[in-house]
Amino acid sequence: KQEVTQIPAALSVPEGENLVLNCSFTDSAIYNLQWFRQDPGKGLTSLLLIQSSQREQTSGRLNASLDKSSGRSTLYIAASQPGDSATYLCAVTSGSARQLTFGSGTQLTVLP
Amino acid sequence: DAGITQSPRHKVTETGTPVTLRCHQTENHRYMYWYRQDPGHGLRLIHYSYGVKDTDKGEVSDGYSVSRSKTEDFLLTLESATSSQTSVYFCAISESIGGVAGELFFGEGSRLTVL
C-alpha cells in the first residue's frame, strides 16, 4: 500500500526566504506526482503535476522535483511572500492508476 | 478555475437522516472523486467514478454510496447519517490520460455537521 509522508508538518519562515518542502513515498512505481495548495476553509488548488518520466516542473516561483528511485519529491519556493502561507500537500498516482494517495501536508507560514 | 460546483456547501442534519451531496462539473472529465477531510486524518478517498455508471470504493466507503448517471454529475449519499460522518467533503475531477488519472481539480467543499 502506497504511503506518502510530508515532513515537517509545519514550517515558519521570514518573508523573502527561499524554502523547500519535502514529500516522500514508499512505492516508487508511480505514474505522476502532484503538489497542491490549500488555504483555510477552501478546496485544494493544483500547483504542479510531474509525470513519472520527468525530473522537474516549474511554475513562476515554484519548482518541483521528482526522484522516483529514492521515493522523494521537493517543492522549492523562491523569495517567499506572506501570500504563500497555506498548507501544501503532495499526492501520487500509483497502483490502479486511477487514485491518488495524499500526504498529510505541510502548513507554511511566511512572516512579514 | 475548473468548473466544479458542490451543493450544498453547508448542511446541518440529525443522526439517522439521509443526506445527498452533489458534485457537478462542466469540464467533461472522465474521473470524479469524493474525499473527506478531517483533522488528523488528512484527505481520504470515499468513492470514485471512472465513467458513467462505473464506480469503485475508496478507503473509507462504509456508510456511503454514490451514483453517476451523467458525465457531469456525481452524487454522494449517506443513507443514515452518523456523527462520525461530520466532515468536510470534497469533490475532485481529472482527465483520464491513457487510463491514468491526470491533474486533479477540486471543488470548494461541502461542510456537513451531523448532530
Side-chain angles (χ1 to χ4, degrees), chain B residues 10-94:
Chain B
H10 302 272
K11 186 173 181 66
V12 179
T13 191
E14 294 187 350
T15 298
T17 60
V19 176
T20 295
L21 306 180
R22 179 180 184 238
C23 178
H24 178 78
Q25 61 147 327
T26 58
E27 306 296 322
N28 201 36
H29 282 1
R30 182 175 175 185
Y31 293 167
M32 297 186 76
Y33 307 82
W34 277 108
Y35 290 90
R36 59 178 290 176
Q37 188 174 40
D38 305 285
H41 292 278
L43 271 165
R44 293 180 291 176
L45 182 65
I46 305 171
H47 281 281
Y48 66 102
S49 168
Y50 42 95
V52 174
K53 299 192 188 303
D54 282 329
T55 64
D56 207 347
K57 296 179 179 180
E59 62 177 303
V60 290
S61 60
D62 287 348
Y64 301 95
S65 63
V66 290
S67 66
R68 191 169 178 200
S69 58
K70 298 185 290 185
T71 298
E72 58 266 34
D73 290 325
F74 193 32
L75 304 181
L76 177 70
T77 297
L78 292 66
E79 300 290 348
S80 178
T82 67
S83 59
S84 65
Q85 294 176 312
T86 292
S87 186
V88 180
Y89 292 85
F90 287 102
C91 174
I93 64 173
S94 74

Side-chain angles (χ1 to χ4, degrees), chain B residues 101-112:
Chain B
E103 190 173 6
L104 199 65
F105 300 97
F106 280 81
E108 286 295 306
S110 295
R111 182 174 295 275
L112 175 67

